[in-house]
Amino acid sequence: MFGICNLSIVPLRFDASDASEMVSQVIFGEHFEILEKTKKWSKIKLAFDGYEGYIDNKQYQEISDSLYKQLENEEKIYSGELIDFITDSDNNLTTIPIGARLPFYDKNSFHIHETEFKYEGKTSGKKLNKNAIVETAYLFLNSPYLWGGKTPFGIDCSGFTQTVYKLCGYNLLRDAKEQATQGEVLSFIEECEPGDLAFFDNEEGVITHVGIIMNDYNIIHAHGKVRIDKLDHSGVYNIDTQQHSHRLRVIKKMI
């Protein structure tokens, strides 16, 4: 069985319970495999990054195996507006955030099954150059931190980097420790370029944080909010507290 998210922002939970931790979010237009299904909950695996969790059965639409395969092979086009809306043929309105998938998009319209939607905002998803990574990251500046979040209304560190790269046409995995398995290691901080990723670990050596490197050894990352701090050989130097907040583990070139 397969499904697609037909609502703006849906919580993906660790367990099959409304009280369970939100581990990520499913954004409008994201498709997935349904691994298990009970009366109220479905355990799903997102096609984009393989992330698994539980979603309320009332918050998605089932799709056929053939449509799932079409979505896999089709060019990925996303909403490029921080917040916008779509309308169906009955003029019903749905609000969507930046990064929402627009399946089979063509000339301001797209469709899911027999339902056609109109969308007149900017689109993104085509492969852009490295400079676009930092430019796109600025769109999220001052977005509040939210564990499991992937939108400007609340976002975590790896949700931030994943979404920014997605909007520029590149796929990252979901968690910081997973993203750290991608790309090419840079030996020295002096080798980094704007758009590269810096990863940070805890006292046990587990990677727990990630941010996007900018010009002049600045870094934009989600810590309390999406903010800009200094990056040095030790890690992130918080310009407000005048202290290091994260310990640098590795810098990686992703594109």
Side-chain angles (χ1 to χ4, degrees):
M1 293 189 296
F2 302 94
I4 191 168
C5 181
N6 58 351
L7 299 174
S8 57
I9 308 164
V10 171
L12 186 67
R13 300 195 180 278
F14 184 78
D15 283 318
S17 166
D18 287 316
S20 178
E21 171 190 4
M22 184 179 78
V23 293
S24 192
Q25 292 173 323
V26 189
I27 309 302
F28 182 93
E30 284 198 83
H31 62 293
F32 47 83
E33 181 181 358
I34 301 169
L35 304 175
E36 303 170 12
K37 188 171 183 179
T38 62
K39 184 177 180 180
K40 183 179 179 183
W41 295 92
S42 292
K43 185 177 183 181
I44 68 169
K45 181 178 181 178
L46 291 172
F48 182 80
D49 57 16
Y51 216 68
E52 296 182 11
Y54 289 86
I55 186 174
D56 191 311
N57 291 341
K58 300 184 294 297
Q59 296 185 319
Y60 73 86
Q61 176 182 348
E62 285 195 20
I63 60 174
S64 64
D65 175 48
S66 60
L67 180 54
Y68 181 91
K69 289 177 180 176
Q70 289 176 48
L71 289 166
E72 282 288 272
N73 296 323
E74 184 227 8
E75 181 184 15
K76 277 58 171 185
I77 301 296
Y78 306 103
S79 164
E81 305 284 357
L82 280 175
I83 184 71
D84 210 324
F85 64 89
I86 57 175
T87 54
D88 63 19
S89 55
D90 295 321
N91 282 325
N92 294 314
L93 183 148
T94 300
T95 303
I96 58 171
I98 192 169
R101 173 85 181 269
L102 310 174
F104 313 107
Y105 178 83
D106 182 47
K107 297 178 181 177
N108 296 331
S109 70
F110 67 96
H111 65 273
I112 299 174
H113 277 310
E114 303 302 319
T115 304
E116 185 158 342
F117 298 90
K118 293 291 184 183
Y119 171 76
E120 298 181 353
K122 293 187 296 186
T123 61
S124 61
K126 295 185 182 295
K127 277 188 165 53
L128 302 176
N129 62 36
K130 210 168 185 179
N131 291 334
I133 299 291
V134 173
E135 292 172 10
T136 304
Y138 271 116
L139 295 173
F140 294 84
L141 196 61
N142 291 319
S143 298
Y145 182 89
L146 174 66
W147 179 268
K150 297 199 301 186
T151 79
F153 304 103
I155 200 163
D156 63 24
C157 66
S158 54
F160 169 59
T161 52
Q162 185 192 57
T163 301
V164 168
Y165 266 72
K166 180 179 81 169
L167 292 168
C168 295
Y170 302 93
N171 286 26
L172 294 183
L173 297 173
R174 179 60 180 91
D175 291 337
K177 63 182 179 181
E178 296 171 335
Q179 293 176 10
T181 66
Q182 300 176 262
E184 174 189 341
V185 174
L186 300 178
S187 301
F188 304 100
I189 192 171
E190 290 80 10
E191 293 180 285
C192 71
E193 297 176 344
D196 292 336
L197 297 186
F199 294 90
F200 308 86
D201 61 11
N202 60 17
E203 292 180 356
E204 288 74 42
V206 177
I207 290 176
T208 57
H209 192 66
V210 59
I212 298 171
I213 295 172
M214 307 172 70
N215 283 312
D216 301 322
Y217 300 113
N218 290 313
I219 185 168
I220 183 167
H221 63 132
H223 180 57
K225 62 180 180 180
V226 176
R227 55 179 292 127
I228 297 172
D229 287 306
K230 289 293 185 182
L231 177 68
D232 59 28
H233 291 278
S234 297
V236 175
Y237 186 76
N238 187 299
I239 60 175
D240 294 327
T241 64
Q242 301 290 294
Q243 294 180 336
H244 283 92
S245 60
H246 299 84
R247 184 175 64 184
L248 181 63
R249 170 70 172 273
V250 65
I251 294 172
K252 304 203 81 172
K253 177 182 180 180
M254 295 295 177
I255 58 175

